[in-house]
Amino acid sequence: PALYICNHTGYLDIEILGAALEASFISKAEVRNWPWFGWLAKLQRSVFIDRVRTAAAGHRNAIVERFDQGDRLILFPEGTSSDGGHVLPFKSSLFSVAEYRRDGAPIAVQPVSVAYTRLDGIPLGRSFRPLFAWYGDMDLAPHLWHALGLGVLTVELTFFPQVTIDQFASRKELAAYCYRVISDGVAESLAGRKVSP
């Protein structure tokens, strides 16, 4: 089992990470009822969570059950998607699942940065990122239709060294560390510099 921690730019992240990793997503509950994407999320065995504090313990148990089965899960700790130019602050509450231990050993936590960097080989500037980023109150269908017709998108995934909760004083420190390395990874990729994990 492992927990991948990733920044979130929009629905394209799902396809990109789903192709790169053998893992399921931890997803907000509303996605379950979305046309097409909800069906795909169910097929992919996503763990659906409500973003209310009273449900946190139940969600933690559902995630731990999946770890008991040896599953790898992907978490977007921003809790929403962004414009792709920066990483939003991480919510540390779900990092409590990193306290899970299997045979006495802590679970591996793998920070991963996702950066949309080029369109048809040309650097993707700030004004063009929203053409691929899906956030705020954008309508899904027109955005998807437009994005698919724009050209070849280059996306850089950077996998940083795995860590465990035992390397940090608390889940909040673990969340802060993941936020820092992922934010730096996105910034370096967008600037066209090689990221050295």
Side-chain angles (χ1 to χ4, degrees):
L3 180 65
Y4 294 98
I5 305 295
C6 307
N7 60 297
H8 193 25
T9 304
Y11 55 82
L12 292 176
D13 299 343
I14 309 298
E15 288 76 20
I16 292 160
L17 291 165
L21 301 170
E22 273 189 52
S24 297
F25 292 91
I26 299 171
S27 175
K28 60 185 180 181
E30 306 91 82
V31 172
R32 181 185 347 223
N33 299 319
W34 288 4
W36 181 248
F37 286 101
W39 177 73
L40 289 175
K42 289 175 199 169
L43 280 179
Q44 201 266 341
R45 299 185 59 233
S46 294
V47 178
F48 296 102
I49 61 170
D50 291 310
R51 299 198 186 257
V52 291
R53 288 181 187 251
T54 55
H59 297 319
R60 186 182 189 283
N61 293 340
I63 293 167
V64 165
E65 280 180 31
R66 295 290 294 276
F67 287 150
D68 282 338
Q69 297 168 22
D71 289 353
R72 298 176 185 149
L73 297 174
I74 300 167
L75 174 64
F76 297 119
E78 293 165 286
T80 189
S81 52
S82 73
D83 66 3
H86 65 286
V87 179
L88 300 173
F90 284 179
K91 296 175 179 10
S92 65
S93 58
L94 279 177
F95 277 84
S96 67
V97 299
E99 296 166 347
Y100 167 84
R101 298 181 106 68
R102 186 169 188 183
D103 300 325
I107 191 167
V109 176
Q110 175 82 64
V112 181
S113 67
V114 183
Y116 295 57
T117 58
R118 296 179 172 271
L119 177 58
D120 290 333
I122 299 170
L124 192 64
R126 181 178 305 168
S127 60
F128 288 98
R129 278 188 214 108
L131 298 174
F132 296 100
W134 186 66
Y135 59 99
D137 60 356
M138 294 177 168
D139 289 326
L140 179 62
H143 186 274
L144 175 61
W145 183 255
H146 185 68
L148 291 176
L150 289 172
V152 177
L153 176 65
T154 301
V155 181
E156 292 183 20
L157 300 180
T158 304
F159 291 80
F160 295 94
Q162 290 183 351
V163 294
T164 69
I165 190 73
D166 290 354
Q167 295 171 253
F168 302 90
S170 67
R171 65 177 166 79
K172 289 188 176 187
E173 282 193 17
L174 172 60
Y177 167 79
C178 290
Y179 175 79
R180 187 175 66 254
V181 298
I182 291 170
S183 294
D184 290 349
V186 168
E188 292 292 305
S189 290
L190 294 179
R193 295 189 286 268
K194 180 169 173 42
V195 179
S196 50

